Amino acid sequence: GSMQYVTIDLLAGGASLISAALMTLMVNARHLFYGISMLERYKNTGAAKPYLIFALTDETYSVVCSGDAPEGVDQSRYFFWVSLLDQFYWVVGSVIPFDTTGIDFSMTALFLVVMTEQWKASRDHTPALVGLGVSLVCLLIFGSSNFLIPSMLGITAALTLLRKVTEKKEADHAV
């Protein structure tokens, strides 16, 4: 999904194969975090579970995490249909030719919406603030062309180090 948009910049900028591979790994590493956070939510989804894991995208994650299934709707079926429709929209959007003017902003807008929804849904804003802070520092140090990989590595390292603090905050709020 997201790499469709990033690839255009990589190819246009003459990125090496190693840079492209690292960028792909870092951009898609977020799915590890998405997947881990969905383990409990997808726990009782039965035969749909492998597909739900396969179809987990930014949009699906945001919709599924933003709330529970509507009243009277089976949660497993809700997760399945959200996932299926999101995948359908991606596939159809990838094969139908259209004017791509302004598409570069769509990914920024998407991530802003996802971040805003997660910000509103969470009491602990440490991960978002760490991501923003590390990204800004890396932008200043490495420049706009080279900050993404150092940012992703820095965010991963910082959140790993802060994991105990975050877990303690969550436990304190649960009590």
Side-chain angles (χ1 to χ4, degrees):
S2 300
M3 280 309 297
Q4 290 171 312
Y5 301 105
V6 175
T7 300
I8 294 168
D9 288 334
L10 289 173
L11 294 174
S16 70
L17 185 58
I18 292 172
S19 293
L22 283 173
M23 181 68 73
T24 302
L25 178 66
M26 296 309 293
V27 167
N28 289 318
R30 71 189 187 286
H31 290 286
L32 294 172
F33 300 105
Y34 288 174
I36 290 169
S37 70
M38 297 304 287
L39 289 174
E40 188 62 32
R41 197 165 277 263
Y42 285 173
K43 185 177 179 180
N44 297 315
T45 55
K49 189 175 189 176
Y51 176 72
L52 295 175
I53 293 167
F54 166 77
L56 191 58
T57 62
D58 300 314
E59 297 81 4
T60 304
Y61 179 80
S62 182
V63 171
V64 169
C65 284
S66 67
D68 293 323
E71 191 173 324
V73 175
D74 177 61
Q75 189 163 300
S76 294
R77 289 182 56 134
Y78 174 75
F79 294 158
F80 173 79
W81 283 104
V82 167
S83 300
L84 183 67
L85 290 171
D86 278 347
Q87 184 180 23
F88 175 76
Y89 301 147
W90 267 106
V91 171
V92 170
S94 296
V95 297
I96 295 176
F98 61 94
D99 181 11
T100 60
T101 305
I103 197 118
D104 51 338
F105 179 72
S106 67
M107 289 307 293
T108 303
L110 169 67
F111 284 110
L112 284 174
V113 169
V114 170
M115 182 183 165
T116 301
E117 289 296 320
Q118 294 302 312
W119 182 277
K120 289 169 40 178
S122 176
R123 291 183 182 176
D124 181 16
H125 302 302
T126 303
L129 294 172
V130 166
L132 183 61
V134 170
S135 295
L136 288 174
V137 168
C138 289
L139 179 62
L140 293 172
I141 293 172
F142 299 104
S144 62
S145 298
N146 300 310
F147 85 103
L148 189 58
I149 291 175
S151 293
M152 296 297 288
L153 293 171
I155 291 167
T156 301
L159 291 177
T160 300
L161 293 172
L162 291 172
R163 189 172 127 216
K164 294 290 184 195
V165 174
T166 304
E167 287 174 352
K168 185 173 180 352
K169 280 184 183 179
E170 288 176 7
D172 291 344
H173 281 39
V175 174

